[in-house]
Amino acid sequence: MTEEIDAVLFDLGGTLIDLKPSRAEVFAQVLQAIGTKVSTTDVSAAMARADQTHDEEYARLDGKDESRFWKMYDEEVAKAVGYRGNFADLERQISNRFDEIVPKAENWVAYPDTKPALEGLRTRGFTIGLVSNATDLARRVADRLELSQYFSFMVLSEEVGMRKPSPGIFKLALDAAKTPPNRALFIGDRLAADIVGATKVGMHAILVDREGIYRNPPCLAFRDLSFFGRYF
């Protein structure tokens, strides 16, 4: 495939970086604090099931009022791990905790395979770009983690007024990359938002499913970015 590709474009969260503490760790910590015995492993498994079930709904989120979706999501995960208390109170505590953690750039970390993959692509001369449903926080995180150096451009939903899987945001990225869609590869962790969105505009796409969320996805999929050194 490499001889057919000029540009490799990436999603950010869940693909190149992760929250620390992770989503599952935060959720488990809140449950444990109110007396529910639960492991991070169990919460992670419940989240993976919910992520697959609600993948298309997640892709339709507009980045504005998402409270209804997350209340439903939190309740489903909590029930799956055995919580039977007041769901409104639990959701409020979880929301408050994420509001404390997510906006801080220091709470995001690069996956161990992120820099080696980006460095390898840069060395081989590919144009590398970022396309993310994100705010300016993405730039601050990328700067802090020394990832910005690898990107020729960043297309962020808050800045351009479009979100994946909208064709428009992918087309903006292709314009920035100065390459036609059939010579661009998109890498993301969400099937509906990333893979379906990219392929609809004619791009190649690979799913990075780090948590094993998707069963038999209708696309090429890997658990991490090490495939760049092995197959690409």
Side-chain angles (χ1 to χ4, degrees):
M1 179 188 289
T2 53
E3 67 276 5
E4 303 171 355
I5 299 297
D6 298 319
V8 182
L9 313 183
F10 288 89
D11 168 56
L12 186 60
T15 301
L16 299 177
I17 65 171
D18 192 21
L19 193 62
K20 191 64 177 179
S22 69
R23 291 191 308 145
E25 288 171 336
V26 172
F27 207 106
Q29 288 167 4
V30 172
L31 285 171
Q32 292 162 0
I34 59 177
T36 300
K37 294 183 179 179
V38 63
S39 70
T40 300
T41 300
D42 288 342
V43 172
S44 182
M47 284 184 162
R49 292 191 294 271
D51 286 344
Q52 180 175 34
T53 300
H54 301 291
D55 185 62
E56 292 186 1
E57 293 170 77
Y58 178 84
R60 291 194 293 269
L61 293 177
D62 62 8
K64 297 175 183 176
D65 184 8
E66 301 180 353
S67 59
R68 183 176 180 181
F69 173 86
W70 290 114
K71 286 178 182 178
M72 173 274 297
Y73 181 96
D74 292 346
E75 182 171 338
E76 184 170 315
V77 172
K79 284 181 177 178
V81 297
Y83 179 74
R84 296 296 181 267
N86 185 309
F87 286 102
D89 182 59
L90 174 66
E91 198 282 329
R92 183 168 55 254
Q93 291 190 52
I94 291 172
S95 179
N96 290 341
R97 187 66 178 127
F98 276 112
D99 286 346
E100 293 172 0
I101 294 172
V102 172
K104 297 178 181 178
E106 60 268 28
N107 289 331
W108 293 89
V109 297
Y111 291 108
D113 51 48
T114 293
K115 282 189 177 180
L118 294 174
E119 185 63 42
L121 291 170
R122 181 170 66 176
T123 299
R124 294 161 65 190
F126 291 101
T127 297
I128 306 172
L130 184 73
V131 188
S132 180
N133 288 346
T135 66
D136 183 67
L137 174 64
R139 293 186 187 277
R140 290 186 281 119
V141 171
D143 287 344
R144 182 177 179 276
L145 298 177
E146 300 181 340
L147 301 181
S148 298
Q149 61 178 311
Y150 297 106
F151 302 126
S152 298
F153 59 88
M154 297 185 191
V155 180
L156 306 181
S157 61
E158 186 181 66
E159 296 177 355
V160 302
M162 292 178 281
R163 292 170 60 87
K164 297 176 296 180
S166 168
I169 195 169
F170 290 103
K171 290 176 181 178
L172 285 176
L174 290 168
D175 288 344
K178 297 181 175 61
T179 190
N182 66 322
R183 296 194 64 85
L185 171 65
F186 192 81
I187 311 293
D189 71 311
R190 291 282 184 167
L191 189 59
D194 292 325
I195 307 307
V196 173
T199 55
K200 277 189 175 180
V201 298
M203 298 173 67
H204 303 279
I206 294 177
L207 178 71
V208 175
D209 188 6
R210 293 182 182 275
E211 302 299 326
I213 293 170
Y214 302 99
R215 296 180 181 179
N216 303 314
C219 61
L220 193 59
F222 296 96
R223 291 299 292 267
D224 56 42
L225 297 175
S226 64
F227 71 86
F228 277 115
R230 289 179 285 140
Y231 306 112
F232 185 88

